[in-house]
Amino acid sequence: MVSCAAFQSFLFEYDTPRIVLIRSRKVGLINRAVQLAILAYVIGWVFLWEKGYQETDSVVSSVTTKVKGVTLTNTSALGAMVWDVADYVIPPQEENTVFVMTNVILTLNQRQGRCPELPDDKTECKVKNDCVPGYASTHSNGIQTGECVPYNSSIKTCEVFAWCPVENDYHVPKPAFLQEAENFTILVKNNILYPKFNFSKRNILPNINSTYLKNCIYDSRTDPFCPIFRLGKIVEAAGQNFQEMAVEGGVMALQINWDCNLDRAASHCVPKYSFRRLDNKDSAQTVSPGYNFRFAKYFRDSNGTESRTLVKAYGIRFDVIVFGKAGKFDVIPTMINIGSGLALFGVATVLCDIVVLYCMKKKYYYREKKYKYVEDYELGVDETHGTNS
């Protein structure tokens, strides 16, 4: 019966708002304070800070880079040697990134043949039976032949069929082989498009001429819009030491931010550059620190014998990361945010109702004034007619 009565009450009752004017300083101040806070939020945050009156679009970007710089090295193995862009930028072009070699381990004149493997726990041997013919681990330089041969006067290792002599990369050169790389420069050309607004621009601004471009170097204070960056300054701006990073390599981010308000003149839409290191800089906490890879340069002599120079290149990879958002006035988001703001004013009414009906001393009195219960008028008339008859 109780559930039936509750169902009837739910089914045959109708609630309609009732306006009650309550003269109370406390409730009146709470109401106005909440309304003022909502108004400040809508105007200050939604419209002024977040620009809720604008339609927005994300940036579409393309990036090309060009590195310049030469340096001279003089070692006993190579003699005097000049290194230019073709030697240290590997590969010549990549998408939104450029790798600059700063350190190197060279293994010269390798040829296919038999030679002793580098000594470690799995390759050192004393007798022939310690070596397994055909065996190769993931860290091997070649395929074991099954022979145990002298590596030097005191150590024997298993012989391998490989490019001989095998590479010895146990000791990374310190200081870095190409110390002068910090003075190399990189030109970053960035073209951006906001397709929704058909707005395009590039980071070489209209007021930059060829004379300025040949002589400028980016500086956040004196030349904030110069698109040519000194590599050492990029690393320094990220709080790193170039000479330390150059030894084992690393990954740097050159970030270009294009946040544009297209309600203003196009000249105000300019790039903002920032720099950070992306890989872990703490070599003590990293199993494989830095950034390196191998490649080879192949040669063939007059007898047709092929040889190669194996290069283990350490260096800094510069990733150019472009991001941004553009906004322009549009009536649709403006009306949506105005409507949302007006709807928020209902929060003030709800909050004041809670205070009046549940928190104030005269809550029962206010509750009587707030709610009025009315019986079915037609039902009351029928009952009255039945009584008079």
Side-chain angles (χ1 to χ4, degrees):
M1 294 297 292
V2 175
S3 60
C4 183
F7 177 73
Q8 286 183 344
S9 176
F10 168 77
L11 189 62
F12 299 118
E13 288 184 354
Y14 163 68
D15 297 330
T16 184
R18 184 183 187 188
I19 299 176
V20 179
L21 179 62
I22 300 175
R23 298 186 182 277
S24 169
R25 292 182 180 179
K26 184 186 295 184
V27 179
L29 286 174
I30 292 173
N31 184 47
R32 299 307 175 205
V34 174
Q35 289 178 340
L36 186 61
I38 293 171
L39 187 64
Y41 164 77
V42 172
I43 295 176
W45 176 261
V46 175
F47 282 97
L48 296 182
W49 183 261
E50 291 292 325
K51 295 181 174 59
Y53 55 87
Q54 291 183 334
E55 181 72 25
T56 59
D57 193 15
S58 298
V59 69
V60 177
S61 165
S62 70
V63 173
T64 58
T65 59
K66 183 186 292 184
V67 180
K68 288 189 176 181
V70 294
T71 186
L72 174 68
T73 61
N74 195 349
T75 64
S76 57
L78 299 175
M81 183 173 178
V82 173
W83 298 75
D84 62 13
V85 177
D87 298 313
Y88 59 74
V89 175
I90 311 159
Q93 283 293 319
E94 289 187 86
E95 184 179 356
N96 296 345
T97 188
V98 60
F99 174 83
V100 177
M101 184 175 69
T102 56
N103 206 2
V104 65
I105 296 176
L106 296 173
T107 308
L108 304 174
N109 300 318
Q110 284 188 319
R111 289 182 171 85
Q112 295 264 342
R114 298 167 180 259
C115 52
E117 178 65 284
L118 280 180
D120 62 24
D121 336 352
K122 296 182 179 179
T123 61
E124 289 186 19
C125 62
K126 293 183 179 179
V127 295
K128 180 176 179 179
N129 290 340
D130 294 335
C131 303
V132 181
Y135 173 77
S137 72
T138 54
H139 301 291
S140 297
N141 287 294
I143 309 297
Q144 289 189 12
T145 63
E147 299 293 329
C148 182
V149 297
Y151 178 78
N152 55 33
S153 59
S154 59
I155 299 175
K156 285 186 174 183
T157 62
C158 293
E159 185 184 62
V160 291
F161 182 73
W163 285 94
C164 298
V166 297
E167 178 191 64
N168 184 351
D169 62 348
Y170 287 159
H171 302 289
V172 180
K174 290 184 181 180
F177 192 70
L178 301 181
Q179 300 179 59
E180 292 300 316
E182 67 177 332
N183 295 317
F184 297 165
T185 61
I186 177 172
L187 167 64
V188 178
K189 294 191 284 186
N190 176 215
N191 293 273
I192 61 109
L193 170 68
Y194 288 106
K196 190 178 290 185
F197 308 121
N198 195 27
F199 178 86
S200 61
K201 202 166 186 179
R202 65 176 188 158
N203 67 327
I204 302 178
L205 302 177
N207 61 331
I208 293 179
N209 56 40
S210 58
T211 304
Y212 174 79
L213 196 62
K214 288 179 180 178
N215 297 286
C216 76
I217 296 292
Y218 172 85
D219 185 278
S220 59
R221 290 171 294 182
T222 59
D223 293 279
F225 302 120
C226 177
I228 300 176
F229 305 86
R230 182 174 280 117
L231 302 190
K233 291 292 184 181
I234 293 176
V235 176
E236 182 184 329
Q240 305 294 311
N241 182 290
F242 185 91
Q243 293 302 331
E244 291 179 2
M245 191 175 183
V247 172
E248 293 183 317
V251 183
M252 292 292 304
L254 194 162
Q255 301 173 129
I256 308 177
N257 183 9
W258 288 91
D259 280 343
C260 298
N261 183 357
L262 298 184
D263 290 329
R264 305 176 67 187
S267 58
H268 290 95
C269 182
V270 293
K272 294 179 181 177
Y273 301 100
S274 60
F275 316 93
R276 59 174 299 184
R277 184 169 182 173
L278 297 179
D279 66 314
N280 191 336
K281 66 177 182 179
D282 188 359
S283 59
Q285 301 297 326
T286 306
V287 174
S288 179
Y291 182 64
N292 65 78
F293 57 89
R294 292 176 176 85
F295 66 96
K297 297 180 179 179
Y298 293 87
F299 311 93
R300 192 178 294 275
D301 62 19
S302 57
N303 298 323
T305 303
E306 187 178 46
S307 63
R308 74 178 189 181
T309 295
L310 179 64
V311 181
K312 184 175 183 181
Y314 297 83
I316 303 174
R317 193 182 77 190
F318 295 89
D319 292 344
V320 183
I321 303 172
V322 183
F323 57 94
K325 182 176 69 172
K328 193 173 186 179
F329 174 79
D330 190 272
V331 67
I332 293 176
T334 302
M335 297 306 297
I336 290 174
N337 283 303
I338 288 175
S340 300
L342 292 175
L344 281 176
F345 279 99
V347 173
T349 303
V350 173
L351 184 61
C352 290
D353 280 350
I354 293 172
V355 172
V356 168
L357 300 178
Y358 299 99
C359 302
M360 297 187 70
K361 292 181 179 179
K362 297 182 179 180
K363 56 186 177 182
Y364 296 108
Y365 171 74
Y366 289 128
R367 201 172 296 173
E368 290 178 2
K369 298 297 182 181
K370 172 72 175 175
Y371 299 111
K372 183 175 182 180
Y373 299 93
V374 180
E375 299 297 334
D376 193 328
Y377 176 75
E378 294 179 355
L379 181 59
V381 171
D382 291 341
E383 290 177 347
T384 305
H385 282 238
T387 304
N388 292 337
S389 59

